[in-house]
Amino acid sequence: MAEEKQEHTIDIDAANLMAAVEDVNQTIEKFLDTASVGKVYAEPIRVGDTVIIPSAEVVAGMGFGMGVGFGRKGEGSQESGGGSGGGGGGQVLSRPVAVIVATPEEVRIEHVYDRTKIALAALTAAGFMVGMVARMLRGR
Amino acid sequence: MPLKGFLHQTENGSPVTVGNYKIIPVSRAYGVILPKVAGGFVWNHPLAVRIEREGESDQEIPIHDVTRIAQVRLIAGSVFATAVLWAILHLLGRKVQKQEPLNG
C-alpha cells in the first residue's frame, strides 16, 4: 500500500512570531534577574547614624510552551488547515528573613520570626503524629 | 540567549559604609533552567554579611532563616518521634506475643 505524502504549510506572521520570541526572551532574562543580590537585599535605609538593610528570600518559577498543529478539515476532504499557539505562566514569592542593623558601634542581625508559618508547621506536625499514633493503636 | 542548566551563584552586594565599617551583603542563588522548554526555577536567599574594618581582619556574620529552621525541626521532630513510638510499640507487641504461649 502506497503511503500518501502531503505537505502542509501554515501562514505564520514572521513579525508577530519574532515579537513573541523577543517577549519570551525578555521575560526569561527578568526571571534570571531574581538570582541577583539586589533582589534579596533592599536599599539601605539611613536613620541618623544607623543603617538598616532588610533582606528576603525570593523564589521564582515560570514556564512557557508553544505548539503547532495541522490537519484535514474533514474525513476525505482535501482541504487542510492549521494553527499555532502558546502560553506561559509563573510566580514569584518573597518572604522577609532578617534585618541588618548597623550602627557606628556594632553590626547585628535581627532575624524575622514568622509566627504564623511556625504555628502552621507545629499544627501539621501534631496532626501527623496524632494520625500516625491513632493508626498504630488501631492496628494492634 | 539565556543560559540553561543548573544555576549556583554567590554574589556580593554593593558595600555600605557605616562609621569605620564597610558592610557587604552576600546572597546565594540556586536554580534550574529547563533546557527543553523556556522555563525554570530560582531560589535566592541572603547568606551572610561581610564586615570590613580598617586595621582588622574581615568578619562574616551568617544570616540564618530561623522560620525555615523552626519549620524543618518541627516536621523532622514529629517524623522522628513517630518512628521511635512505632519502634517501641512494635517491640512491645513482639514481647507480648512471645510471652503469651508461656502464660497460657
Side-chain angles (χ1 to χ4, degrees):
Chain A
M1 200 173 152
E3 272 185 35
E4 247 185 78
K5 244 186 175 179
Q6 192 175 355
E7 280 189 16
H8 297 272
T9 54
I10 304 167
D11 290 329
I12 295 173
D13 188 339
N16 275 345
L17 186 67
M18 287 310 290
V21 170
E22 189 57 36
D23 278 349
V24 169
N25 277 342
Q26 275 179 9
T27 311
I28 291 170
E29 269 163 34
K30 275 186 191 166
F31 163 72
L32 285 170
D33 194 39
T34 52
S36 71
V37 68
K39 293 286 177 281
V40 167
Y41 295 99
E43 284 295 312
I45 304 157
R46 279 186 189 271
V47 184
D49 285 346
T50 308
V51 174
I52 298 159
I53 309 169
S55 68
E57 172 194 65
V58 182
V59 181
M62 56 153 259
F64 285 99
M66 64 174 291
V68 181
F70 38 79
R72 286 193 179 143
K73 280 198 171 167
E75 197 70 32
S77 168
Q78 290 301 309
E79 279 186 82
S80 63
S84 64
Q91 192 171 22
V92 178
L93 299 167
S94 186
R95 186 171 59 82
V97 171
V99 178
I100 303 157
V101 182
T103 61
E105 290 81 38
E106 60 164 3
V107 178
R108 64 177 198 276
I109 312 277
E110 297 283 346
H111 294 106
V112 177
Y113 290 88
D114 192 335
R115 288 190 178 90
T116 311
K117 278 193 190 303
I118 295 170
L120 282 171
L123 283 171
T124 307
F128 170 75
M129 278 187 75
V130 168
M132 289 304 284
V133 168
R135 204 172 155 176
M136 275 186 250
L137 293 173
R138 223 182 300 138
R140 284 177 60 137
Chain B
M1 192 69 196
L3 65 156
K4 310 233 178 212
F6 289 99
L7 176 83
H8 174 238
Q9 69 182 46
T10 306
E11 212 177 307
N12 290 345
S14 13
V16 180
T17 309
V18 184
N20 296 329
Y21 297 106
K22 196 194 252 181
I23 304 160
I24 303 161
V26 185
S27 76
R28 181 166 287 170
Y30 296 103
V32 180
I33 314 299
L34 301 170
K36 291 276 178 192
V37 291
F41 167 85
V42 172
W43 173 48
N44 195 1
H45 62 286
L47 187 69
V49 179
R50 220 174 47 238
I51 302 156
E52 292 177 10
R53 199 175 184 183
E54 273 180 41
E56 281 182 28
S57 57
D58 292 1
Q59 196 190 343
E60 201 167 272
I61 307 173
I63 298 174
H64 301 293
D65 188 345
V66 287
T67 305
R68 177 66 41 80
I69 292 167
Q71 282 178 316
V72 170
R73 279 186 184 168
L74 278 165
I75 301 295
S78 71
V79 170
F80 179 73
T82 309
V84 169
L85 209 62
W86 176 83
I88 291 167
L89 287 173
H90 192 69
L91 285 173
L92 280 175
R94 279 173 69 175
K95 231 178 191 178
V96 170
Q97 269 181 357
K98 269 185 187 173
Q99 280 171 354
E100 264 173 4
L102 291 170
N103 294 337

